[in-house]
Amino acid sequence: MIQLKTPEEVDAIARGGAIIADFLVEVHPRIEPGISTLDLDRFADDFIRSHAGASPAFKGLYGFSGSVCTSLNEEVVHGIPKADRTLVDGDIISIDVGVKLDGWCSDSAWTFPVGEIDEDTQHLLEVTKDALDQAVSATVLESSVGDIGAAVVARVKGTGLSIIKDLVGHGVGREVHEEPQVPNIGQSGTGPALREGMVLAIEPMLSCGTAEIQTLSDRWTVVTRDGTRSAHFEHTVAVTPAGPRILTAVPAEAAA
Ligand code: MG
Ligand code: MG
């Protein structure tokens, strides 16, 4: 069942979302060659818990060991933070963050360049972020969940990039993952109607090569099957009469 949120509940989710947005701004300058993904995880855990009542929503979720997911290069999602995994110039790293505050969850992800990245990787990041923006713009009353995926498809068409179709966005609320699923490949006018009070994590994931994925033997890390790079951007968004409201909005400083 899709749980609709009252305006007050949407505000409560936005308060947690603001912690994520602030975290993404604060972590950005720390993303440099030599830092480990565990260092970033510890920073995230400390930062989130420094806000009264807030905790990292992914810690322990389904048994995950980290406070955030750190996925490098060909890793699409669910990378486990590790002390011996250090960033190298030219890498990209996706940090996926969930916060629980006063019983409400919010969820966002951002893919950052590490030092200088090549042109193809820059293209991947730009198109993926743009696909998120287009998908958010499509999250309006009178539309449907299929319109969100259709917006991703329209943006990605002709770019040479692939949409990872086996991973989807989702409702967010008391739980990190609620109904409905929000596929990144959609057809306009299909799927559940968008209604006031729906709160959705919208999260396009693209790759430079195949759309096929596999899970590594650690049972968490999802990688592209052909080893090409993948990017992931995500916002938690509320459907409101005034249009889509991004509850994890990142100030422009984090966008570089
Ligand atoms: Mg996420
Ligand atoms: Mg999510």
Side-chain angles (χ1 to χ4, degrees), residues 134-155:
Q134 297 296 318
V136 169
S137 297
T139 308
V140 293
L141 291 174
E142 314 294 330
S143 286
S144 64
V145 168
D147 287 280
I148 298 171
V152 175
V153 171
R155 177 60 187 91

Side-chain angles (χ1 to χ4, degrees), residues 172-183:
V172 188
R174 290 291 186 190
E175 307 294 333
V176 175
H177 296 123
E178 296 186 353
E179 291 184 40
Q181 291 198 344
V182 183

Side-chain angles (χ1 to χ4, degrees), residues 32-40 72-73 82-89 91 93 114:
E32 288 201 311
I35 195 166
S36 77
T37 54
L38 188 65
D39 292 333
L40 295 172
L72 273 72
N73 303 329
K82 292 190 184 89
D84 61 358
R85 189 76 194 268
T86 52
L87 306 189
V88 174
D89 188 51
D91 281 347
I93 179 170
V114 181

Side-chain angles (χ1 to χ4, degrees), residues 33-79:
I35 195 166
S36 77
T37 54
L38 188 65
D39 292 333
L40 295 172
D41 185 73
R42 288 191 175 141
F43 176 73
D45 194 274
D46 290 344
F47 184 88
I48 293 166
R49 293 185 198 277
S50 73
H51 298 77
S55 60
F58 297 167
K59 185 94 180 175
L61 185 67
Y62 315 121
F64 189 73
S65 62
S67 295
V68 293
C69 301
T70 51
S71 307
L72 273 72
N73 303 329
E74 79 283 1
E75 298 169 358
V76 184
V77 289
H78 304 163

Side-chain angles (χ1 to χ4, degrees), residues 39-220:
D39 292 333
L40 295 172
D41 185 73
R42 288 191 175 141
F43 176 73
D45 194 274
D46 290 344
F47 184 88
I48 293 166
R49 293 185 198 277
S50 73
H51 298 77
S55 60
F58 297 167
K59 185 94 180 175
L61 185 67
Y62 315 121
F64 189 73
S65 62
S67 295
V68 293
C69 301
T70 51
S71 307
L72 273 72
N73 303 329
E74 79 283 1
E75 298 169 358
V76 184
V77 289
H78 304 163
I80 302 170
K82 292 190 184 89
D84 61 358
R85 189 76 194 268
T86 52
L87 306 189
V88 174
D89 188 51
D91 281 347
I92 50 173
I93 179 170
S94 154
I95 302 185
D96 197 343
V97 195
V99 160
K100 194 161 195 176
L101 176 68
D102 300 330
W104 293 100
C105 301
S106 47
D107 186 7
S108 181
W110 204 270
T111 304
F112 297 92
V114 181
E116 290 290 313
I117 58 172
D118 62 47
E119 246 175 64
D120 287 349
T121 307
Q122 186 64 40
H123 175 67
L124 171 70
L125 295 192
E126 284 171 10
V127 175
T128 312
K129 175 58 171 61
D130 217 25
L132 171 61
D133 293 343
Q134 297 296 318
V136 169
S137 297
T139 308
V140 293
L141 291 174
E142 314 294 330
S143 286
S144 64
V145 168
D147 287 280
I148 298 171
V152 175
V153 171
R155 177 60 187 91
V156 175
K157 193 173 179 202
T159 62
L161 303 172
S162 297
I163 301 169
I164 307 290
K165 63 182 185 309
D166 293 339
L167 297 166
V168 298
H170 49 92
V172 188
R174 290 291 186 190
E175 307 294 333
V176 175
H177 296 123
E178 296 186 353
E179 291 184 40
Q181 291 198 344
V182 183
N184 290 309
I185 292 182
Q187 265 193 311
S188 187
T190 64
L194 297 181
R195 297 172 60 194
E196 182 177 356
M198 283 173 73
V199 176
L200 304 173
I202 298 174
E203 47 181 319
M205 292 152 254
L206 305 185
S207 90
C208 291
T210 182
E212 302 300 319
I213 52 173
Q214 60 186 346
T215 304
L216 297 183
S217 58
D218 64 16
R219 296 172 54 225
W220 280 104

